[in-house]
Amino acid sequence: MKKHIYDESNGLSYTLHGDYYLPDLAVNEGEPTYGKYGMLRKQFLKEHRPARYQYLLMTGELTAHLNRVDQEAREQVETLVKQIEEKQGVTEQLKMQDLMKWVGLINNIKACAEKIVLKESVYM
């Protein structure tokens, strides 16, 4: 039996290990460059969607997927924060008048926006 074979139908090479041919697979993940939401998505996939995680990992698409999720989530949070600020009337004028109230409102708005984005984009 040959030590190495190549299957043209699926494009994989195989190496003989004992009585079995096992595919020559290599994970070509470089250093991850994703941010907070990418890391949260990765953890979610590992724990709750292991088949999807393994597929993305084995096809080499994991880092690109996590970067895409991270970028989209950051943009969504930023957009939601602006929309909620306008709706609640949180302005620079309020910041000048009562800084502590403004800080409290902004922190609350950011927390709410992030919770929405996590639920709809990261943890699905």
Side-chain angles (χ1 to χ4, degrees), residues 32 41 46 50 62 70 72 99 114 120:
R41 175 70 174 167
K46 276 183 172 180
L62 181 62
D70 185 69
E72 289 172 3
L99 183 61
E114 187 170 275
E120 292 182 0

Side-chain angles (χ1 to χ4, degrees), residues 2 16 18 24 50 54 84-85 90 114 119 123:
K2 293 181 182 178
L16 184 64
D24 298 329
Q54 288 297 321
I84 297 170
E85 280 179 11
V90 179
E114 187 170 275
K119 184 177 180 184
Y123 299 142

Side-chain angles (χ1 to χ4, degrees), residues 1 4 11 15 17 21-22 24 38 50-51 58 72 81 86 89-90 97-99 102 105 110 113-114 122-124:
M1 293 175 73
H4 300 284
T15 303
H17 294 277
Y21 281 104
L22 300 176
D24 298 329
M58 298 306 272
E72 289 172 3
V81 166
E86 289 175 10
V90 179
Q97 292 173 349
D98 189 353
L99 183 61
W102 180 85
L105 289 171
K110 285 180 182 177
E114 187 170 275
V122 177
Y123 299 142
M124 57 173 256

Side-chain angles (χ1 to χ4, degrees), residues 81-95 97 101-102 105-106 109:
V81 166
K82 287 179 184 175
Q83 290 174 350
I84 297 170
E85 280 179 11
E86 289 175 10
K87 190 168 187 169
Q88 290 187 1
V90 179
T91 62
E92 290 296 316
Q93 181 69 24
L94 177 62
K95 185 178 180 180
Q97 292 173 349
K101 181 178 180 182
W102 180 85
L105 289 171
I106 290 295
I109 289 170

Side-chain angles (χ1 to χ4, degrees), residues 33-85:
T33 57
Y34 41 85
K36 172 185 177 180
Y37 300 107
M39 287 186 261
L40 291 170
R41 175 70 174 167
K42 182 178 180 181
Q43 190 63 33
F44 172 78
L45 289 172
K46 276 183 172 180
E47 292 177 11
H48 301 285
R49 305 283 190 277
R52 175 90 171 124
Y53 175 77
Q54 288 297 321
Y55 172 78
L56 290 169
L57 183 65
M58 298 306 272
T59 58
E61 299 173 12
L62 181 62
T63 300
H65 172 75
L66 297 175
N67 280 324
R68 188 173 47 255
V69 168
D70 185 69
Q71 178 68 28
E72 289 172 3
R74 281 189 281 120
E75 289 171 359
Q76 290 173 352
V77 167
E78 186 178 314
T79 302
L80 276 173
V81 166
K82 287 179 184 175
Q83 290 174 350
I84 297 170
E85 280 179 11

